[in-house]
Amino acid sequence: MPGFPQAMPLHGLIGGLMIGLAAAPMLLANGRVAGCSDLFARATGIASGDMPRSLALAFAIGLPIGAAIVGLTMGVEARFSASFALLAVAGVIVGFGTRLGSGCTSGHGVVGLSRLSPRSIAATATFMALGIITATALRLWGVMP
């Protein structure tokens, strides 16, 4: 693929299907959208809700552990082109945005779009546009390769 030599569309398709298959049981069984920001807020005690904190904690702990297991078994090396400080600041900004926008990419982008929620359509369009602008700016400024 010109311009995207590392692109792996089949992997992206499979990953998207796995996210959808993980989100569906949460909605069907618990009547809740599987939004990572809400689950992390509940797990850390930042927000209250009807979901048991133990379930939110299991999700918050299992997500990075699952990624680490896959990474180790597949020989994936984690590399970050930004400093830890920049990543921490970015994480705080993203966390603030998800609370302000009442959800994150998994809640709005996966579940909300599939339900044709107008709020989720607006939120997804906003974070996609700002993500593209930010990535482009960081590349132009030489912060990202």
Side-chain angles (χ1 to χ4, degrees):
M1 294 181 135
F4 297 101
Q6 289 86 18
M8 296 186 284
L10 184 59
H11 288 78
L13 175 65
I14 292 168
L17 289 171
M18 290 173 68
I19 291 169
L21 288 172
M26 182 78 131
L27 184 61
L28 295 172
N30 296 320
R32 291 193 35 87
V33 171
C36 290
S37 63
D38 275 349
L39 289 167
F40 273 90
R42 178 72 179 117
T44 58
I46 294 171
S48 60
D50 56 347
M51 173 173 286
R53 189 164 183 208
S54 59
L55 181 59
L57 258 166
F59 181 89
I61 292 168
L63 195 63
I65 289 174
I69 290 169
V70 169
L72 289 171
T73 58
M74 299 198 65
V76 176
E77 179 185 335
R79 290 178 287 167
F80 302 98
S81 59
S83 68
F84 179 77
L86 181 61
L87 291 174
V89 168
V92 168
I93 292 170
V94 168
F96 177 76
T98 61
R99 300 306 299 163
L100 184 66
S102 298
C104 60
T105 54
S106 56
H108 285 303
V110 176
V111 182
L113 286 182
S114 66
R115 294 174 40 224
L116 300 177
S117 162
R119 184 174 75 164
S120 291
I121 292 169
T124 303
T126 300
F127 61 67
M128 289 300 293
L130 290 173
I132 291 167
I133 290 167
T134 302
T136 302
L138 290 174
R139 284 182 188 268
L140 290 174
W141 293 333
V143 176
M144 281 179 40

